[in-house]
Each structure stands twice: as structure tokens, then as C-alpha cells.
């Protein structure tokens, strides 16, 4: 498409500020950026959209425009929402470099311009598939007529004979439910997509799953696509196509990339719609953290219920889940962590993007905090809360690959509560449980409220020097003896304690005669000066083994 077509489209509301002689330039793609130097993401022919966040003073305009002109971009469109009118220094710089410059009215979303350009460019490249791309605009409409991602996936199936699915980062099915994928395959594809996205490999990513079926994966990145991939990889969507795209013509690949951009616009719109729910959740948690009266918290929940819990009726049960993502040398991925919790805690039995709209997630103090309504299966029945083991299984397989070697995800889960009075305690439970999870070594760790009544709550907070001194005093003599004599005193001690001091059960487990077991336990007592018939000494050994 030509730049001139942008001015001829009234719905875009663009105003030309300079470069009238250059409007016959060809637009090949569209990119949104607020980087001061986006050169590594430019290949030529782009319409660049910018909110001007890169501009700190008038001197910044010249180098920014010089980079765009050197990369051969088609034109620049600057939003007026941040600074009001487009600054004169930017207008002058574009004139010097003969770069067409448009002003984007603050009432016009960048997503609207992106949708128009993608639709036009993809249609032109696809030739006889232009009608398909044009029909994909239904993705942008809301309600039953539009159908969200399923509208696009249906068209891919009917017009191109491609079966495709939109998946969340945990493998939850967001679109494509008419031909559901088995859960293990969805999980494997989600993990493979995240692992590939963290490399320099170009999409599509080709993955062969168990059984020999090959899928092609196209990442659907929301927000600023030039941002560090680590800040979004755990929450991005994925378009999975049941085909090997290795020998596809360029036109078909361009079409699929255009589809992912359309889905990304839909994702951005849903993120914007969730802003109200997130703000209400933040207000509720602020009251809870601040020690507000239960009546005040209850009133705020009742006022927010139509937004936080659409269609909820009766007395709700609630559960609180706290999550934190940490990256080495990377900023806080706050919005991405919120989106991750919303998708993760969505009802797995309800496919589609709307399922994540039931969860309200706030972000404060480097933690995402989710207020999860729990459905009651039947009248008078207890709710079915999320358990730490189940959440660990949902998160571990796909997200472990996206985290790589430099990231961690820790999650804490509270018990279910049924009144505003219980929310403060539930929040403390979830935050303490997350700290317990953080003390473990795995990349993905989830801890539940059940563990807070156990010794495991105390062990992670024992200072390292105390832990080393305590375990060394009890276990070093046994380790030294095992090394010298090739004995098995440590495994024998572990089995003895695990069998609650039962000589018969322990001897059976270790395939030893009871007299041999008694000899080993006696040697342990002799080396350490402890008596394993005493409860205190048993407990000391148990804790030493857990801390070693």
C-alpha cells in the first residue's frame, strides 16, 4: 500500500505535517516503538508509530529521525496523547531527511492504524488470498458477531485448510475449541514456543511432538514488540498451526504473520479492558493491607463485584494467589506477571479469552496479587480452591522453558475464605507461602498455605551460617565415616527416621537383618553422642537432614 492511502482513510484521522512529495512510498509493514534507537528492528518500508516517550529534549529529534531515514522506513506517525501537538523540532528533522510525518490524534488508538495497515499489506502480498485477510477484520469486533480469535481460526480452516489454535503461555486454549488439542500437546507446544522465542531463531518455530505430528508456532506478542522478550515471554499468546511451514511460500508466511498481528491487537484491547478490573483489585488490596475495617472492605467488594466477578451471585468464596517473576539483569515484568496469573487461574474447563476476565490481579511491591472467586459446585457444597500441587503442575512444564537459566517464578497460595474478615489473613498466608517457595532452588516453585503449619516454614529463614554449623555438627562425623569405610550411615539414618524409628520396617526397607540395623544406629549414636531413642535427638537429626 502507498502512504497516500493513510490520508485517504478518514477513520484513521491522520494529519500530514510534512513530506507531501513522498506520499507514493510503499508501506510494507507497521511497527510501534518508543526506543531511542530502534535500528535493529527495522528492515525498510515500515510505517513507524511512536508515542514520543523517547524524546527528552529537542536535541533528541535529529538522531531519532536520522536512524529511521537511514533504515529506509516509509513514514513516521507521532501520537499527540503524550506531548499534545507534535513538537516543531521533530517536524524540522523529518523535513531535513525527507521523511513523511503524520500526527495521530489522541482519540485514535495505534491498534486501529496497525489493524488497517496489516489488513491492507497482508492482502496485497497474499494475492488471491486478499479476501481471506479482509475477512479477518472480524477478529477486531466484539460480541457474538465477531467471535474473537475463533473467527480467524475458522477462516484459516475454511479458506486455507489450516487447523490452528491460539494458546496461552501455560497451554490453555484461547481459540480453536471446535477441534481441541489434547492437554499434553498444548503444554508441550507452549513450552517449545517460549524456548524458541528466547533465541534468535526467526518464526515460525517448527515442533514435532510425540506421535510424529509437526506444528508451526507463530508468537503473538502484545504491547511494545521491541521490548526485552523476557518481560513478555511468560504471558504472550501463541498461534499453533497443524502443519510444517518449512516449505511454505512467502505469501502464505506473510499471511500468517499478519494474522498474528491482528490477534495481537485483540490481545492489546483485552489488556486495556482489564485495566479497570486491575485498578479495582488494587483498591481492594490497598484496603486489606492498610488494615481497613471488614465492613469497608466488604462494601468495596460489593461495589466492584459486577466488574471483578461478572455474573456472580450468592456469597462468594475467595482465594488469594501471589506470584513474583525475577530475571537476572532485567526490569520488573509487572504487567506480564498480572497477565500470566489471569491466564493461569482461568477456569481450565472454559476455553476462550473471556475465561481470564474472571480474575482480578493487582501489582505492588514487585508481586502480582490475584483475587480469585471460587465457584461453588452445588448448594451448600464447599468450594474447590486451587491447590499448590495442581498449580505447580500447570506452571512447571511450559514456563520452566521460558524462564531459561536466568529467570524464576515463585507462587504462594492461600486457603479459601468466605468473608472480608478473612482476606487480610489470606493475603498474609499467600505472601508467606511465596517466600517459602522462593527459598527452594527450582525455577518454578509453588507453596500452599498448608505448609505454613510445618517446620518447612521455619527452615528457609534460618541464617546460612547457623544452618551450616548445625548440620556440620550432626552430620559431618557420619559423612566422614561413610567416606572412610564405604558405609551407609546417612542413608540408614534417613530411612530410620522415615520409618518413625521402627526397627522392623526400616530393616525391611533397607533389606538388612535387624541386628545389622541396630549396629549401624549404634555407630551413629557413638559418633554423634546422641540417643535416637530420645524424641529431641530424632528431631535434631531430621532437621539437619532437611537443611543439608
Amino acid at each position: 500500500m502507498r502512504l497516500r492511502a493513510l490520508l485517504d482513510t478518514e477513520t484513521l484521522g491522520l494529519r500530514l505535517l510534512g513530506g507531501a512529495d513522498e506520499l507514493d512510498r510503499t508501506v510494507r509493514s507497521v511497527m510501534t516503538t518508543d526506543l531511542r534507537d530502534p535500528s535493529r528492528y527495522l528492515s525498510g518500508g515500515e510505517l513507524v508509530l511512536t508515542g514520543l516517550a523517547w524524546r527528552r529534549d529537542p536535541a533528541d529529534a535529529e538522531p531519532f529521525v536520522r536512524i529511521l531515514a537511514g533504515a529506509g522506513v516509509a513514514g513516521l506517525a507521532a501520537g499527540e496523547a503524550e506531548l499534545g501537538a507534535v513538537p516543531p523540532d521533530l517536524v524540522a528533522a523529518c523535513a531535513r531527511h525527507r521523511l513523511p510525518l503524520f500526527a495521530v490524534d489522541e482519540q485514535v488508538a495505534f491498534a486501529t492504524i496497525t489493524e488497517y495497515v496489516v489488513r491492507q499489506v497482508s492482502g496485497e502480498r497474499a494475492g488471491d488470498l486478499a479476501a481471506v485477510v479482509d475477512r479477518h477484520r472480524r477478529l477486531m469486533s466484539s460480541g457474538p458477531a465477531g467471535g474473537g480469535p475463533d473467527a480467524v481460526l475458522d477462516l484459516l480452516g475454511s479458506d486455507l485448510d489450516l487447523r490452528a489454535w491460539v494458546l496461552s503461555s501455560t497451554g490453555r486454549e484461547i481459540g480453536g475449541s471446535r477441534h481441541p488439542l489434547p492437554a499434553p500437546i498444548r503444554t508441550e507446544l507452549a513450552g517449545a514456543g517460549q524456548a524458541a522465542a528466547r533465541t534468535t531463531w526467526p518464526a515460525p518455530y517448527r515442533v514435532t511432538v510425540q506421535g510424529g505430528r509437526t506444528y508451526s508456532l507463530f508468537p503473538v506478542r502484545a504491547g511494545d514488540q521491541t521490548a526485552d522478550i523476557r518481560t513478555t515471554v511468560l504471558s504472550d499468546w501463541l498461534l499453533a498451526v497443524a502443519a510444517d511451514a518449512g516449505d511454505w511460500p512467502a505469501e502464505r508466511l506473510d499471511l500468517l504473520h499478519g494474522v498474528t498481528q491482528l490477534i495481537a491487537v485483540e490481545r492489546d484491547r483485552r489488556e486495556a479492558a482489564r485495566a479497570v478490573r486491575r485498578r479495582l483489585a488494587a483498591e481492594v488490596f490497598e484496603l486489606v493491607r492498610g488494615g481497613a475495617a471488614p465492613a469497608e472492605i466488604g462494601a468495596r467488594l460489593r461495589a466492584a463485584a459486577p466488574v471483578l466477578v461478572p455474573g456472580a451471585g450468592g456469597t462468594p468464596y475467595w482465594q488469594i494467589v501471589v506470584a513474583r517473576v525475577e530475571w537476572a539483569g532485567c526490569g520488573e515484568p509487572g504487567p506480564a506477571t498480572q497477565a500470566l496469573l489471569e491466564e493461569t487461574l482461568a477456569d481450565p474447563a472454559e476455553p476462550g479469552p473471556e475465561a481470564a476476565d474472571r480474575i482480578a490481579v493487582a501489582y505492588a511491591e514487585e508481586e502480582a496479587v490475584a483475587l480469585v472467586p471460587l465457584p461453588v459446585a452445588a448448594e451448600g457444597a464447599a468450594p474447590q480452591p486451587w491447590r499448590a500441587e495442581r498449580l505447580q503442575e500447570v506452571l512447571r512444564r511450559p514456563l520452566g522453558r521460558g524462564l531459561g537459566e536466568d529467570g524464576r517464578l515463585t507462587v504462594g497460595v492461600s486457603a479459601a475464605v468466605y468473608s472480608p474478615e478473612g482476606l487480610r489473613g489470606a493475603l498474609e498466608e499467600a505472601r508467606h507461602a511465596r517466600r517459602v517457595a522462593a527459598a527452594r532452588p527450582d525455577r518454578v516453585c509453588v507453596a500452599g498455605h498448608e505448609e505454613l503449619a510445618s517446620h518447612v516454614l521455619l527452615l528457609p529463614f534460618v541464617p546460612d551460617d547457623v544452618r551450616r554449623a548445625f548440620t556440620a555438627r550432626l552430620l559431618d562425623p557420619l559423612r566422614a565415616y561413610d567416606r572412610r569405610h564405604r558405609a551407609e550411615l546417612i542413608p540408614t539414618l534417613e530411612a530410620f527416621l522415615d520409618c518413625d524409628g521402627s526397627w522392623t520396617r526400616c530393616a525391611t526397607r533397607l533389606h538388612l537383618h535387624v541386628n545389622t540395623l541396630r549396629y549401624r544406629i549404634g555407630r551413629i549414636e557413638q559418633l554423634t553422642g546422641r540417643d535416637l531413642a530420645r524424641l529431641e535427638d530424632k528431631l535434631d537429626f531430621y532437621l539437619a537432614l532437611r537443611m543439608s
Side-chain angles (χ1 to χ4, degrees):
M1 65 172 293
R2 305 290 182 182
L3 275 177
R4 194 178 304 280
L6 298 173
L7 286 178
D8 296 337
T9 307
E10 294 182 359
T11 56
L12 300 183
L14 296 178
R15 301 194 319 279
L16 183 65
L17 300 181
D21 296 334
E22 306 289 336
L23 292 181
D24 287 328
R25 293 186 180 188
T26 299
V27 179
R28 296 187 177 88
S29 62
V30 61
M31 187 189 80
T32 301
T33 185
D34 274 312
L35 291 176
R36 304 183 76 178
D37 180 4
S39 57
R40 62 185 180 277
Y41 302 106
L42 299 172
S43 57
E46 295 91 351
L47 172 67
V48 175
L49 307 176
T50 180
L52 300 178
W54 51 267
R55 183 184 179 275
R56 299 173 185 173
D57 57 60
D60 291 337
E62 172 64 26
F64 180 77
V65 173
R66 186 169 59 249
I67 289 170
L68 299 188
V73 304
L76 174 65
E80 296 181 320
E82 182 74 18
L83 301 177
V86 176
D89 49 271
L90 182 59
V91 177
C94 287
R96 284 193 297 272
H97 291 277
R98 302 178 62 83
L99 181 65
L101 175 64
F102 301 89
V104 182
D105 189 274
E106 62 180 351
Q107 302 300 320
V108 178
F110 282 179
T112 302
I113 301 172
T114 300
E115 175 197 350
Y116 177 83
V117 173
V118 168
R119 197 164 65 236
Q120 298 300 318
V121 171
S122 296
E124 292 170 4
R125 289 182 178 179
D128 60 337
L129 298 177
V132 178
V133 179
D134 184 64
R135 288 166 65 191
H136 284 171
R137 70 182 184 276
R138 292 192 298 171
L139 175 64
M140 298 299 103
S141 60
S142 59
D150 278 332
V152 170
L153 304 183
D154 287 346
L155 290 172
L156 287 177
S158 61
D159 291 56
L160 302 181
D161 197 27
L162 291 176
R163 186 169 292 182
W165 300 263
V166 178
L167 306 178
S168 75
S169 59
T170 60
R172 190 178 74 85
E173 194 171 281
I174 295 171
S177 58
R178 289 177 178 81
H179 305 283
L181 275 175
I185 293 180
R186 287 189 275 112
T187 301
E188 183 175 353
L189 292 179
Q194 290 173 54
R198 295 204 58 193
T199 70
T200 57
W201 302 340
Y205 314 129
R206 297 154 61 197
V207 178
T208 301
V209 300
Q210 188 174 7
R213 186 67 182 268
T214 298
Y215 293 83
S216 297
L217 309 181
F218 297 79
V220 178
R221 295 196 65 189
D224 184 0
Q225 297 191 17
T226 63
D228 190 327
I229 184 64
R230 294 179 297 175
T231 63
T232 62
V233 68
L234 300 187
S235 61
D236 282 339
W237 289 358
L238 181 74
L239 177 65
V241 181
D244 188 341
D247 57 354
W248 280 7
E251 291 82 1
R252 176 163 288 202
L253 287 174
D254 286 342
L255 175 65
L256 267 294
H257 284 297
V259 169
T260 63
Q261 288 182 284
L262 291 175
I263 297 175
V265 173
E266 168 73 1
R267 171 73 188 280
D268 284 336
R269 289 187 176 184
R270 290 196 169 274
E271 283 288 298
R274 291 173 185 171
V276 174
R277 201 168 60 257
R278 291 174 176 178
R279 177 176 57 79
L280 292 173
E283 293 175 0
V284 170
F285 283 120
E286 188 62 33
L287 291 174
V288 172
R289 281 194 296 265
E296 185 179 358
I297 298 173
R300 194 71 193 90
L301 279 172
R302 286 190 295 273
V307 177
L308 295 184
V309 198
T315 302
Y317 285 81
W318 302 94
Q319 190 175 22
I320 292 179
V321 178
V322 174
R324 181 174 181 178
V325 175
E326 299 172 274
W327 296 106
C330 183
E332 293 181 32
T337 311
Q338 288 178 285
L340 169 62
L341 272 191
E342 287 163 346
E343 295 291 350
T344 300
L345 299 171
D347 186 350
E350 182 182 356
E354 297 82 5
D357 294 342
R358 312 287 192 266
I359 312 301
V361 185
Y363 189 82
E365 300 176 0
E366 300 183 347
E367 292 179 332
V369 187
L371 185 64
V372 187
L374 300 175
V376 178
E379 185 66 27
Q384 299 299 315
W386 280 91
R387 297 187 63 84
E389 298 83 359
R390 178 185 170 202
L391 202 53
Q392 174 88 17
E393 184 59 28
V394 169
L395 295 169
R396 180 181 57 83
R397 290 185 59 199
L399 299 188
R401 301 184 66 179
L403 286 164
E405 295 299 320
D406 56 348
R408 289 201 74 205
L409 169 65
T410 53
V411 183
V413 183
S414 80
V417 296
Y418 59 89
S419 68
E421 289 89 341
L423 287 178
R424 182 176 177 82
L427 177 59
E428 289 302 314
E429 276 187 343
R431 297 183 77 178
H432 282 306
R434 195 205 65 78
R435 294 189 187 101
V436 171
R440 296 170 180 166
D442 296 336
R443 291 290 175 190
V444 179
C445 292
V446 183
H449 63 95
E450 305 92 346
E451 300 183 51
L452 302 186
S454 169
H455 64 278
V456 297
L457 175 63
L458 302 176
L459 296 186
F461 305 106
V462 176
D464 287 343
D465 55 342
V466 176
R467 292 161 66 101
R468 287 192 295 268
F470 182 76
T471 57
R473 186 179 302 116
L474 283 174
L475 302 182
D476 279 3
L478 306 183
R479 293 186 180 119
Y481 188 88
D482 282 347
R483 285 194 300 270
R484 289 195 306 270
H485 301 281
R486 296 184 180 180
E488 295 184 346
L489 297 186
I490 292 288
T492 301
L493 176 60
E494 290 175 329
F496 186 72
L497 295 175
D498 194 42
C499 292
D500 298 322
S502 169
W503 297 98
T504 303
R505 282 194 291 130
C506 184
T508 301
R509 174 182 295 189
L510 296 176
H511 306 290
L512 297 175
H513 192 278
V514 173
N515 288 342
T516 303
L517 176 61
R518 291 185 182 277
Y519 171 80
R520 290 187 181 179
I521 296 299
R523 178 62 67 184
I524 291 171
E525 292 174 336
Q526 180 184 14
L527 291 170
T528 61
R530 299 298 185 104
D531 182 357
L532 278 167
R534 298 178 67 247
L535 177 61
E536 293 88 344
D537 288 343
K538 286 181 182 177
L539 181 59
D540 283 348
F541 277 121
Y542 180 76
L543 293 175
L545 290 168
R546 290 300 298 265
M547 288 192 293
S548 63

